[in-house]
Amino acid sequence: MSAKPAEYTSRYLSGNYEPVFDEVEATDLEVIGEIPKDLSGHFLRIGPNPYFVPDMARYHIFDGDGMIHGIELSEGRATYRNKFIDSKGLQEEREKGEWIYPGLNLFGDVIARGEMPKSKNTGNTAMVFHQGKLFGLMEGGTPYEVSLPDLTTVGEHDFDGTLDHNFTAHPKVDAKTGEMMTFGYSPFPPYLTYSVVSAEGRAVHTREITIPKGIMMHDCAITAHYTIFPDLPLVFDFDKLLKGESMIGWEPENGCRIGVVPRFGSDESIRWFEIEESFLFHVANAWEEGDEIVLQACRSDRGAIETRADQDVREQLGRLHEWRLNLKTGAVSSKLLLANHYCDFPRIQDGLVGYQNRYVYAARFRVDERATFDAELKYDNQTGAVQIHDFGPDKESGEAVFAPKRNAQSEDDGYVICFVNDMHDRCCECHIIDAQNFEGPAIARIKIPSRVPHGFHASWVAVESGG
């Protein structure tokens, strides 16, 4: 049955946020330009795509069912697929023919009735590729294993029964060791739990980390020897929830600090560094440099999960920033790297996560109450220069990934790939940009035969030639 109503009223259900319901597979897609022959793999983008919506006016963008949109690239040809994350919750709702799970903005109503609200593990936020498997993630549940190339949901994956806490949407994989660092946060104690998953796919180290309150901790960072946690003031508040307000509020009195723990460390070995009042949703990278930990992320003046009409939206938009934490002296330095561009979804070459990188790629915000992007940025840590790939006034992009060329010779010897939508007709293309000619036109624009709604995070999974 179709779940589409006569009219969507939420701003995150209208325009190109409007969900799609058909699952499509299309081969030999039309291409303007030429897909490089030295590029083979899967460009994947995940996001919320609600099948049922309990309350149009109070829909929250985090609530939507997960859907992956994928472009398989091989020998200069492209295939498009999209699939729902076939969660248990979505299966239940489809069987019933209506919504069961209320979503964030209706939790207070359910609690006020004396009931415990149900939460759906949508897997709608991000993906990670580890131990040869693709996982769809949200921070409130267990990862979903998803098969390639067909994007079929295999099922929830608890790493051979060794994972016993919520799994972040942003784990970090050390390409040199094969280890994956992850965490789970909660509005109830324990507020933060940290794990290391081995290259063989088992959680081999799990420890609770003490923080004062339950907060929204969306991302983390790693270096060769440490894992880094931001303890910032986006705090859970159930009193506000019962009043019909957001369950997460900005409380600067909670403090702003960054924790650094050895990879196999614990609550006893974590060190905390106080920073200025600020927030970050997404980390670009971190690395060790002498006695210092260098952390780069998109920093905003304050954090929120929804904008308000009475607030300057720029307070909540990020700009690329750097903190240096001196492990020997305890000193902290903080500096803005990109003053003139609001941006988010920072990415680097995946193989350098935790190690010093030269280039950062990020999506540039169009300053608006809805989070839309109109360009991709390339920042050079060595020179401080920024290059801009502007898609034009009527185009909207999203998170881009870096895909190395086969037998790449340098850090930026490869391609930047993202979806680009037309604001008016909502047609979508997948753009492939030469990272070493970043401001030039896309070398390939792949025409997508169906609409691709705006989403969250993207991934690149390389495939060996002929594989």
Side-chain angles (χ1 to χ4, degrees):
M1 64 173 287
S2 173
K4 183 176 179 179
E7 183 180 359
Y8 286 113
T9 53
S10 166
R11 65 183 179 179
Y12 287 118
L13 292 171
S14 60
N16 200 48
Y17 287 94
E18 182 182 332
V20 296
F21 299 96
D22 293 332
E23 295 179 321
V24 175
E25 178 170 342
T27 59
D28 291 325
L29 303 181
E30 177 187 351
V31 180
I32 299 173
E34 186 175 355
I35 298 171
K37 296 291 197 302
D38 56 2
L39 183 64
S40 182
H42 303 272
F43 171 67
L44 306 161
R45 217 285 327 281
I46 198 167
N49 192 93
Y51 199 85
F52 294 102
V53 178
D55 187 321
M56 292 294 164
R58 298 171 67 188
Y59 169 77
H60 195 288
I61 192 172
F62 291 174
D63 293 337
D65 299 291
M67 177 176 275
I68 299 178
H69 299 262
I71 303 291
E72 181 182 3
L73 301 170
S74 179
E75 301 300 323
R77 295 188 297 273
T79 297
Y80 167 77
R81 300 177 182 90
N82 70 306
K83 285 276 184 70
F84 279 100
I85 296 287
D86 193 22
S87 69
K88 293 177 183 176
L90 179 56
Q91 290 172 15
E92 291 171 6
E93 290 180 326
R94 279 174 153 170
E95 184 175 338
K96 184 179 180 182
E98 61 181 356
W99 68 272
I100 296 172
Y101 296 86
L104 284 175
N105 286 335
L106 298 181
F107 270 21
D109 296 11
V110 177
I111 293 172
R113 295 198 301 264
E115 303 171 18
M116 181 59 68
K118 294 182 176 182
S119 179
K120 179 166 43 171
N121 180 14
T122 60
N124 70 9
T125 308
M127 295 160 288
V128 67
F129 190 73
H130 186 246
Q131 62 177 130
K133 295 181 174 69
L134 177 70
F135 299 104
L137 311 170
M138 68 167 281
E139 48 224 73
T142 305
Y144 287 102
E145 183 182 344
V146 177
S147 64
L148 287 172
D150 59 313
L151 305 181
T152 298
T153 302
V154 177
E156 292 188 345
H157 185 93
D158 63 2
F159 302 94
D160 290 335
T162 60
L163 180 73
D164 59 4
H165 59 82
N166 287 343
F167 195 98
T168 178
H170 293 294
K172 296 294 184 287
V173 177
D174 184 331
K176 294 187 179 182
T177 69
E179 293 163 333
M180 177 167 60
M181 278 48 73
T182 186
F183 68 95
Y185 69 83
S186 171
F188 310 106
Y191 298 130
L192 176 62
T193 307
Y194 166 53
S195 288
V196 180
V197 178
S198 70
E200 293 72 36
R202 294 176 61 84
V204 294
H205 178 82
T206 298
R207 297 292 186 275
E208 294 177 10
I209 303 292
T210 301
I211 57 176
K213 289 185 177 181
I215 62 167
M216 184 176 183
M217 186 185 291
H218 187 62
D219 204 351
C220 68
I222 63 168
T223 69
H225 300 99
Y226 297 96
T227 300
I228 299 156
F229 295 112
D231 182 12
L232 304 176
L234 205 53
V235 177
F236 290 103
D237 188 327
F238 285 94
D239 290 334
K240 290 183 178 178
L241 179 65
L242 293 174
K243 297 175 185 176
E245 302 174 19
S246 173
M247 67 184 296
I248 303 178
W250 186 249
E251 297 183 11
E253 61 273 19
N254 189 57
C256 294
R257 60 184 188 159
I258 296 172
V260 179
V261 65
R263 180 167 295 185
F264 289 92
S266 64
D267 207 25
E268 290 71 34
S269 55
I270 194 168
R271 291 185 60 186
W272 293 101
F273 296 80
E274 301 292 327
I275 64 169
E276 74 282 3
E277 182 180 339
S278 56
F279 190 72
L280 64 91
F281 270 116
H282 297 117
V283 166
N285 196 25
W287 65 86
E288 298 164 29
E289 198 171 304
D291 294 326
E292 292 184 321
I293 299 288
V294 181
L295 172 65
Q296 294 184 339
C298 289
R299 175 203 176 278
S300 56
D301 291 336
R302 61 180 290 135
I305 58 173
E306 285 188 309
T307 57
R308 297 201 320 259
D310 62 346
Q311 204 164 40
D312 186 343
V313 68
R314 288 171 295 185
E315 290 183 356
Q316 297 172 29
L317 299 182
R319 290 182 289 182
L320 192 61
H321 200 89
E322 178 181 281
W323 292 270
R324 288 179 173 262
L325 316 173
N326 193 301
L327 297 175
K328 186 174 183 179
T329 67
V332 177
S333 66
S334 174
K335 70 175 181 180
L336 185 61
L337 299 178
L338 280 179
N340 298 322
H341 301 282
Y342 292 99
C343 61
D344 210 323
F345 291 164
R347 296 296 297 263
I348 67 167
Q349 185 192 121
D350 288 342
L352 292 175
V353 169
Y355 301 89
Q356 188 165 2
N357 63 286
R358 178 171 178 178
Y359 300 107
V360 178
Y361 306 91
R364 187 182 71 180
F365 277 113
R366 176 182 286 119
V367 178
D368 184 43
E369 64 177 8
R370 289 200 300 187
T372 56
F373 303 94
D374 62 2
E376 300 295 330
L377 307 176
K378 178 185 180 182
Y379 176 75
D380 188 333
N381 270 310
Q382 191 172 102
T383 67
V386 61
Q387 297 179 56
I388 303 169
H389 187 96
D390 197 323
F391 297 107
D394 299 324
K395 307 298 182 184
E396 296 178 336
S397 61
E399 183 167 72
V401 298
F402 176 82
K405 289 180 182 178
R406 196 177 301 133
N407 302 316
Q409 301 300 304
S410 63
E411 182 181 330
D412 66 342
D413 191 12
Y415 307 98
V416 175
I417 310 175
C418 65
F419 284 127
V420 180
N421 293 90
D422 187 286
M423 292 172 59
H424 302 298
D425 63 18
R426 297 190 289 177
C427 290
C428 181
E429 299 175 341
C430 177
H431 285 211
I432 301 175
I433 303 161
D434 184 343
Q436 294 184 334
N437 182 27
F438 191 73
E439 294 186 323
I443 58 177
R445 292 165 43 204
I446 304 167
K447 297 285 189 177
I448 310 303
S450 61
R451 193 167 58 81
V452 178
H454 294 314
F456 292 148
H457 292 286
S459 288
W460 171 252
V461 178
V463 175
E464 295 297 323
S465 178

